[in-house]
Amino acid sequence: MKKTSVLKKIIRIAVLVIILAAFGITIFYLYNKSKEKPVVFITEQPFTTNIIKKTVATGSVIPREEIEIKPTVSGIVEKVYVEPGNKVKKGDVLAKVRIIPNLVNLNNAEGRLERAQIAFDDARINFNRQEKLKSGGVISASEFQMAEITYRNAQQELSAAEANLELVREGTTKKAGAATNTLITSTINGMILDVPVKVGSSVIEANNFNPGTTIAFIANIGDMIFQGKVDETEVGKINPGMPLLLMVGAIENDTFEAILKYISPKGVLENGAVQFEIKADVDLKNDKFIRAGYSANADIVLQRVNDVMAIKESLLQFENDSIFVEVEVAPQQYEKRMIKTGLSDGINIEVLSGLTKDDKIKVPQLRNAGN
């Protein structure tokens, strides 16, 4: 009985000790949790960088001049000698057109040849007759001269009628030799951008009433410009001669320099906003091939400073009309310091005075909370 009583007493004491220990641990935990943690601010230092204030224009890179080659005769495309991407020189043959004669013109040309042949035969007979009479002394030299002139004129008219019929039928004459308007040639040095016709296509010559069918588009891709548009809220800030930084969508991690050359004097309403067209000369790079029509964005540099001391604009604090930052003077102790700022690009801002590169600037508490 004594052993049982002692065992019960030991168990009660152990349970009591456990309860007291748990209570003490709970009190200690709640006390520590209720203690406020000290705020530790992080700091940043000024740095040297380039700051560029800019506006953005969207557009594309296109050749300065793009030429449309059109035929001088109507007909059917018989051969095409080039394809897009080929480089050509002035005078190179691009295509050959087979003429389909106009029936009215053909009939007129054949009729003219027949009349010229009749007139020539008559003039020749008369010339031969007059030549015999002159050799017999029957007629004077002046009368013979008139017959000779008539004969020569008839001969010339017959030759012209034959050439005219050849032109209507074939597009060339024997006298022209290699010259022919059935062979379509390039008028400039450049690259073929597009050939919108195929063998068998009908083409129409350029004339006063019809622009004609385009055989090929040719351009010098070594001379490119940026063509884009700027919003009316920004156009007043730019002027010809300003530098541009061009970012071509198809070429990553590279930029091209350009110079603004043209600003349209008239705006166009697009999607509820007035847009003004701009053009800029692009400085191409030898190791980068730019295709005509690449989309691009142009950063127009409004202001720029190089190698200046700057801080992140988010470090600035404002009080009335003053700008200040908090500079660390001792571990986790800060003082206000008024500064003078310069150019800003929206992320970094130039510091003109009030700071040194060794100063440690407190990051505002909201930003710390976000981190």
Side-chain angles (χ1 to χ4, degrees):
M1 292 293 292
K2 286 184 178 182
K3 288 182 179 181
T4 302
S5 176
V6 171
L7 183 59
K8 289 181 179 180
K9 187 180 291 186
I10 292 173
I11 292 173
R12 283 197 297 270
I13 293 172
V15 171
L16 183 61
V17 169
I18 291 171
I19 292 173
L20 291 175
F23 179 74
I25 291 172
T26 302
I27 296 297
F28 180 77
Y29 171 77
L30 293 176
Y31 172 75
N32 284 338
K33 190 173 181 181
S34 65
K35 290 176 64 178
E36 188 175 329
K37 293 182 180 180
V39 178
V40 177
F41 291 97
I42 61 174
T43 60
E44 294 184 3
Q45 289 182 276
F47 52 90
T48 300
T49 188
N50 302 332
I51 297 180
I52 303 173
K53 185 178 181 181
K54 58 192 178 183
T55 185
V56 178
T58 59
S60 59
V61 180
I62 62 173
R64 185 183 303 277
E65 294 182 356
E66 185 174 315
I67 306 299
E68 294 184 47
I69 305 297
K70 299 177 181 291
T72 55
V73 293
S74 299
I76 303 296
V77 177
E78 190 171 14
K79 289 184 180 180
V80 177
Y81 299 100
V82 295
E83 60 183 19
N86 291 159
K87 291 184 178 180
V88 295
K89 295 181 180 179
K90 183 177 180 181
D92 287 353
V93 178
L94 309 178
K96 183 179 181 180
V97 174
R98 176 168 52 87
I99 292 178
I100 305 298
N102 181 284
L103 292 180
V104 174
N105 294 338
L106 180 61
N107 183 65
N108 290 338
E110 289 175 344
R112 177 185 173 184
L113 178 59
E114 290 178 3
R115 290 191 299 272
Q117 184 67 55
I118 293 170
F120 173 74
D121 292 342
D122 180 66
R124 183 179 58 185
I125 293 171
N126 185 52
F127 173 75
N128 291 335
R129 183 189 306 119
Q130 295 290 3
E131 188 176 31
K132 291 179 180 180
L133 292 175
K134 179 180 177 297
S135 61
V138 178
I139 62 172
S140 64
S142 61
E143 288 180 297
F144 175 73
Q145 184 179 9
M146 293 295 297
E148 185 179 20
I149 292 173
T150 302
Y151 172 66
R152 289 182 178 178
N153 284 337
Q155 191 176 36
Q156 178 61 36
E157 174 60 23
L158 178 61
S159 178
E162 289 175 344
N164 181 63
L165 182 59
E166 281 186 282
L167 283 173
V168 172
R169 284 176 174 171
E170 307 294 337
T172 186
T173 65
K174 295 177 182 179
K175 290 183 179 180
T180 174
N181 54 7
T182 60
L183 295 179
I184 314 303
T185 59
S186 174
T187 57
I188 63 169
N189 298 334
M191 177 178 284
I192 304 293
L193 300 182
D194 188 23
V195 181
V197 298
K198 300 182 183 299
V199 173
S201 301
S202 297
V203 294
I204 301 173
E205 65 182 287
N207 53 53
N208 293 335
F209 306 100
N210 194 300
T213 306
T214 300
I215 297 292
F217 293 91
I218 304 177
N220 178 11
I221 61 169
D223 185 13
M224 307 286 274
I225 64 170
F226 169 77
Q227 183 175 13
K229 293 185 178 179
V230 175
D231 190 83
E232 62 179 329
T233 58
E234 302 289 344
V235 73
K237 304 175 184 177
I238 61 177
N239 293 294
M242 282 185 166
L244 280 71
L245 293 177
L246 205 64
M247 287 160 288
V248 180
I251 302 177
E252 298 181 354
N253 304 321
D254 203 353
T255 59
F256 297 82
E257 294 184 356
I259 300 296
L260 184 62
K261 292 294 183 181
Y262 168 80
I263 305 172
S264 173
K266 181 181 179 180
V268 178
L269 185 63
E270 291 185 3
N271 300 322
V274 179
Q275 303 286 324
F276 288 82
E277 184 182 67
I278 64 169
K279 295 179 181 178
D281 292 342
V282 180
D283 184 11
L284 300 177
K285 298 179 180 180
N286 294 331
D287 61 336
K288 300 292 183 181
F289 177 65
I290 296 184
R291 301 179 187 275
Y294 271 167
S295 63
N297 291 330
D299 291 339
I300 306 176
V301 180
L302 304 177
Q303 289 179 276
R304 177 174 185 157
V305 289
N306 296 326
D307 299 325
V308 296
M309 184 171 68
I311 61 173
K312 292 182 179 178
E313 194 165 338
S314 58
L315 299 178
L316 298 181
Q317 300 187 57
F318 302 90
E319 188 176 78
N320 298 326
D321 294 331
S322 301
I323 301 174
F324 70 91
V325 293
E326 293 185 77
V327 179
E328 188 177 52
V329 293
Q332 292 300 302
Q333 294 184 17
Y334 303 91
E335 69 173 11
K336 288 184 179 180
R337 182 150 333 153
M338 300 298 176
I339 62 171
K340 186 176 180 181
T341 58
L343 189 64
S344 169
D345 61 6
I347 299 175
N348 301 321
I349 188 167
E350 178 187 8
V351 177
L352 299 177
S353 62
L355 290 175
T356 67
K357 289 185 178 180
D358 297 326
D359 288 331
K360 295 181 179 180
I361 304 165
K362 182 176 81 172
V363 177
Q365 191 169 3
L366 281 176
R367 185 171 164 190
N368 272 297
N371 288 339

